[in-house]
Amino acid sequence: MQDMTKQVKKVVIFGNSASGKSSLAKKLAKQEQLAHLDLDTLAWLPAASPTSPPQRQHLDISMTEINTFIHQHNAWVIEGCYSDLLVQTLDKCSEIIFLNLPTESCIDNAKKRPWEPHKYNSKAEQDSNLAMLIDWIAQYEQRTDSFSKAAHQQLYDQFNGEKLAIIKNQ
């Protein structure tokens, strides 16, 4: 007799900035009726001013918000570049997707990024950060922080469940 139960989707998507995490998460959320959490919305403290450098929210506070989201939703997709947060979701997810695109593709995507009203007050404010974002994206393979390619590869390698790495050639 065939098992007719469908596994509940709990997906974690990660990769470099502008690799397409949000776009893929929104598409999956719509197609599969999943709740969607963009970690950018909870990983940072509100800026003191538009010119002040961003500062991370305390990890415990971010994790409390993530756990609240997970407990409030049966099926979900969580996306972000924060391996220090994502590592703590791996035991709760059913699958992961690593968007491992070339840096140049991510830079091109950043230049074409539409306004993200949940992150910026205006398109002009978003565009004023573009040079900083491009510099950040360009450092992906050399960095050793929780946003780095090495940290993302480690997340991917240590996950024992269903996983997919999407690699796009130039």
Side-chain angles (χ1 to χ4, degrees):
M1 181 154 195
Q2 188 176 12
D3 182 9
M4 301 303 275
T5 59
K6 183 179 177 184
Q7 183 180 4
V8 176
K9 281 198 177 270
K10 297 176 180 182
V11 183
V12 169
I13 301 172
F14 55 93
N16 196 359
S17 293
S19 62
K21 299 177 303 293
S22 295
S23 297
L24 179 58
K26 288 174 190 173
K27 183 178 179 180
L28 275 175
K30 184 176 180 180
Q31 286 177 344
E32 304 284 337
Q33 289 138 18
L34 307 175
H36 172 213
L37 178 60
D38 177 346
L39 293 183
D40 285 341
T41 63
L42 59 82
W44 300 98
L45 290 169
S49 74
T51 58
S52 64
Q55 294 183 10
R56 286 286 301 272
Q57 177 67 268
H58 193 278
L59 291 181
D60 290 344
I61 294 171
S62 294
M63 279 313 306
T64 297
E65 291 183 45
I66 293 167
N67 287 328
T68 298
F69 172 83
I70 288 171
H71 288 100
Q72 288 176 344
H73 303 284
N74 186 43
W76 45 260
V77 57
I78 297 174
E79 50 99 355
C81 59
Y82 312 88
S83 63
D84 54 356
L85 297 174
L86 291 171
V87 70
Q88 299 180 58
T89 67
L90 295 183
D91 63 339
K92 299 168 184 77
C93 72
S94 59
E95 61 188 276
I96 64 170
I97 301 172
F98 178 15
L99 297 179
N100 189 4
L101 276 64
T103 303
E104 296 77 19
S105 295
C106 295
I107 290 171
D108 289 343
N109 290 344
K111 291 176 181 177
K112 298 173 194 168
R113 180 177 275 173
W115 177 39
E116 297 174 301
H118 64 289
K119 297 179 189 176
Y120 298 97
N121 292 324
S122 68
K123 177 74 164 115
E125 182 182 320
Q126 178 176 308
D127 289 346
S128 72
N129 287 325
L130 185 59
M132 181 270 312
L133 180 62
I134 289 171
D135 185 50
W136 175 256
I137 292 168
Q139 298 171 30
Y140 181 61
E141 294 192 26
Q142 289 76 40
R143 285 195 315 266
T144 57
D145 57 18
S146 67
F147 308 100
S148 68
K149 182 174 182 175
H152 293 158
Q153 188 66 55
Q154 184 177 5
L155 277 179
Y156 184 81
D157 292 343
Q158 76 183 38
F159 187 70
N160 292 321
E162 185 176 336
K163 57 187 173 181
L164 173 66
I166 297 175
I167 302 168
K168 176 183 167 188
N169 295 325
Q170 285 289 58

